[in-house]
Amino acid sequence: MNTINLKQLEVWFVAGSQPLYGPETLKQVATNAQQIGQALDRASSIPVQVLVKPVVKTPAEATGLCQAANENPDCIGIITWCHTFSPSKMWINGLKSLRKPLLHLHTQHNRDIPWATIDMDFMNLNQAAHGDREHGFIMSRLRMERKVVVGYWQDLAVQRRIGNWCRAAAGWHDWQGAKFCRFGDNMREVAVTDGDKVAAQMQFGYSVGTYGVGDLVKSVTAVTDREIDRLIGEYEGLYTVAPKLRKTGAMRQSLREAARIELGLRAFLSSGDFKGFTDCFEELHGLAQLPGVAAQRLMADGYGFGPEGDWKTSALVRAMKVMAAGLKGGTSFMEDYTYHLDPKCNLVLGAHMLEICPSIAKGKPSIEVHPLGIGGKADPVRLVFDTPAGPAINASIMDMGNRFRLLLSEVEVVPPEKPLPRLPVARAVWMPKPDLATSAAAWIYAGGAHHTSFSQALTTEIIEDFAAMADVELVVIDADTRLRQFKQELKWNEVYYGLRRGFSG
């Protein structure tokens, strides 16, 4: 998979007005809109192209703009701004038909009121305070989901919020028509990793297909020794290789098998145009070992991944990889594994059997081989590392029967209190907000999964924007969470979504 490049995507910037003000005013509106749009396009915090579209002045133009956005495969959303007064009835048909996300930028071309010279001509031209309220009304009347950003268009904070929304729109755009591959089924008797794939495709736009492990084995078997030699050379350049995996090491063949599996996986995913995959340690027929380093490195290249057949997490990891493209910090599949319950400092150790993405590694990972007590196969090769300190989020999607729920927890990654010389997996240690007891209880009350997508690049705001675009319930656990209020929120959500979609589970 090629590196994710958000600059290939477009957001359209359009100013709204009307013919009432005459050609000279409309000419100035167009000039000012061009200046704002070009500034947003140059803003370092906005990761996509911002293209300025002609001023919308009539119902036909509003409808044409929205329909054109729907049909353009590179357009991921629209930013609107009403420089003057744009009567909202003219936008009804266009907004009703719009299938792309919308951000309503409430700004004005001038930052300051020109106290000494302001007159009615200036007032007629610069009345976004008036026009954007009209524009906002019709979207509220239509019950339309959108993002509202308020502030001066040159302010860095405003540009960052627009950029966050663009990242969410890119993730949503990437899901539309995406394909995810499951090798085998879910881990037997596990509930939370299962779910309604048809409902997911209807709501989220991606599809999930199941393939036998034998289909993958054919691809793995076709890998040549020359390809394996080349990939092992890459391993040796990127990672610290454990002695037993080196050229004269006793388990060198395990490294070759791991490389063979990675190459076969890559070929299979590429040929099927998949954006993510799952595997399961209960279904490994024909594979020498459970894919460890393969899953880790494929994630680092932007693929989604979920173990034990967890296709919802695979899709979420992929979306968050897209949203995080170009940002500092990594994104990975993760699992809450075990606790440190010292009263002075409650911590969570996040890890998995093998598959944590090296994009979150602190320093140079080591490539090692160790026994794995499940799966019944040869000892798998994996990358081992710690995760750097700093803020992060954990997010998970669950099928609640009548809807999907997206659950997010804010955490602070900290260094391990002591070295972990006998734990042969990649790992992260964090302090949940507001504290472990509240966070864990809230997560359990919300039915949160044990698998998550972990990111040190993304913020809660980006996921909030993404959830709005996906029309999915979002529940956030952060420093302000109080359990009594949180439990009430879950009950209110049950009523709201029950009225919208039915109560059956």
Side-chain angles (χ1 to χ4, degrees):
M1 178 175 290
N2 295 327
T3 302
I4 298 166
N5 180 12
L6 299 187
K7 277 298 181 184
Q8 296 175 342
L9 304 175
E10 303 170 0
V11 163
W12 292 0
F13 179 76
V14 58
S17 189
Q18 61 176 314
L20 175 67
Y21 303 107
E24 289 304 314
T25 297
L26 290 176
K27 183 178 179 181
Q28 190 62 50
V29 168
T31 298
N32 293 350
Q34 190 75 28
Q35 183 182 357
I36 294 175
Q38 289 176 350
L40 297 180
D41 185 56
R42 294 191 299 267
S44 61
S45 58
I46 297 178
V48 302
Q49 299 178 65
V50 179
L51 302 185
V52 182
K53 293 297 178 178
V55 177
V56 166
K57 307 174 294 297
T58 67
E61 291 172 352
T63 301
L65 171 83
C66 294
Q67 291 176 345
N70 288 339
E71 298 303 320
N72 189 300
D74 297 323
C75 176
I76 64 171
I78 293 176
I79 300 174
T80 63
W81 166 57
C82 293
H83 193 324
T84 58
F85 188 80
S86 183
S88 63
K89 281 181 63 179
M90 75 169 63
W91 286 87
I92 291 175
N93 288 338
L95 294 176
K96 283 175 61 179
S97 69
L98 184 64
R99 299 192 303 273
K100 300 290 177 77
L102 186 144
L103 182 146
H104 186 176
L105 177 59
H106 185 41
T107 190
Q108 59 187 29
H109 183 257
N110 58 296
R111 191 192 70 174
D112 303 323
I113 294 174
W115 304 102
T117 60
I118 188 170
D119 56 18
M120 284 310 301
D121 288 338
F122 182 94
M123 295 279 276
N124 283 332
L125 174 63
N126 299 284
Q127 54 173 311
H130 180 192
D132 274 330
R133 280 170 167 76
E134 168 75 358
H135 196 50
F137 164 75
I138 201 59
M139 286 186 271
S140 294
R141 176 71 188 270
L142 291 169
R143 309 302 193 264
M144 181 177 174
E145 188 60 65
R146 76 278 194 192
K147 172 88 168 182
V148 178
V149 174
V150 180
Y152 189 51
W153 52 277
Q154 291 186 7
D155 286 350
L156 296 181
V158 169
Q159 294 177 356
R160 278 195 298 270
R161 295 197 69 203
I162 295 171
N164 286 344
W165 176 84
C166 290
R167 290 185 175 280
W172 176 245
H173 176 80
D174 186 76
W175 263 7
Q176 307 314 299
K179 296 193 301 178
F180 293 87
C181 167
R182 290 199 311 158
F183 294 111
D185 206 343
N186 296 83
M187 180 180 173
R188 301 179 192 110
E189 305 299 339
V190 176
V192 75
T193 55
D194 213 334
D196 189 333
K197 295 185 286 295
V198 174
Q201 186 168 354
M202 291 168 61
Q203 180 164 355
F204 300 134
Y206 62 76
S207 64
V208 182
T210 300
Y211 295 79
V213 178
D215 297 321
L216 173 59
V217 170
K218 291 178 183 178
S219 182
V220 171
T221 303
V223 173
T224 67
D225 286 341
R226 178 175 295 182
E227 291 173 309
I228 292 171
D229 291 339
R230 178 198 57 77
L231 184 54
I232 287 180
E234 186 175 326
Y235 292 168
E236 291 171 334
L238 291 174
Y239 314 121
T240 300
V241 181
K244 66 177 71 174
L245 294 179
R246 293 174 190 166
K247 199 164 188 178
T248 58
M251 300 193 72
R252 180 70 167 188
Q253 187 58 34
S254 293
L255 186 63
R256 295 189 66 82
E257 288 298 333
R260 186 187 299 278
I261 291 171
E262 178 182 338
L263 290 164
L265 254 173
R266 284 186 182 277
F268 189 96
L269 296 174
S270 177
S271 65
D273 196 28
F274 295 108
K275 292 184 175 180
F277 69 103
T278 73
D279 62 20
C280 182
F281 66 90
E282 291 177 324
E283 300 193 42
L284 297 174
H285 311 295
L287 293 178
Q289 56 185 257
L290 178 64
V293 67
Q296 292 177 292
R297 284 171 47 83
L298 285 161
M299 266 191 288
D301 285 346
Y303 284 97
F305 173 75
E308 297 132 36
D310 189 353
W311 51 271
K312 297 186 297 298
T313 296
S314 178
L316 184 59
V317 169
R318 166 61 188 185
M320 290 173 65
K321 288 279 188 183
V322 172
M323 289 185 256
L327 292 177
K328 182 180 179 181
T331 297
S332 176
F333 159 76
M334 185 59 72
E335 176 173 292
D336 293 67
Y337 223 96
T338 195
Y339 294 141
H340 182 65
L341 296 178
D342 182 341
K344 297 178 182 178
C345 183
N346 284 188
L347 300 173
V348 177
L349 174 63
H352 203 247
M353 295 181 294
L354 305 170
E355 313 95 342
I356 303 300
C357 178
S359 68
I360 66 169
K362 177 184 178 183
K364 187 176 185 178
S366 61
I367 189 165
E368 305 176 12
V369 60
H370 297 277
L372 182 67
I374 58 177
K377 293 291 182 175
D379 299 340
V381 175
R382 78 291 302 270
L383 299 174
V384 178
F385 53 82
D386 288 310
T387 303
I393 58 172
N394 270 309
S396 187
I397 289 184
M398 296 76 65
D399 185 343
M400 304 303 292
N402 65 339
R403 66 191 186 279
F404 291 94
R405 170 178 287 162
L406 177 54
L407 180 59
L408 182 147
S409 173
E410 295 183 355
V411 305
E412 185 74 23
V413 179
V414 297
E417 289 193 356
K418 296 180 180 179
L420 300 162
R422 299 186 64 185
L423 184 63
V425 293
R427 60 270 175 149
V429 178
W430 63 77
M431 299 173 61
K433 296 181 180 179
D435 54 71
L436 175 57
T438 303
S439 177
W443 192 274
I444 291 170
Y445 277 123
H450 52 287
H451 292 165
T452 65
S453 180
F454 168 94
S455 182
Q456 292 186 297
L458 298 178
T459 63
T460 299
E461 183 184 21
I462 297 174
I463 303 301
E464 286 177 327
D465 291 343
F466 180 76
M469 295 169 192
D471 190 26
V472 66
E473 177 191 7
L474 175 67
V475 183
V476 175
I477 304 169
D478 59 15
D480 296 324
T481 296
R482 300 294 179 268
L483 275 179
R484 185 179 293 112
Q485 181 71 21
F486 186 87
K487 290 164 67 177
Q488 289 298 318
E489 179 184 344
L490 295 178
K491 293 178 180 179
W492 298 332
N493 288 0
E494 194 69 41
V495 173
Y496 171 74
Y497 285 98
L499 291 173
R500 287 185 63 191
R501 299 174 184 169
F503 288 97
S504 63

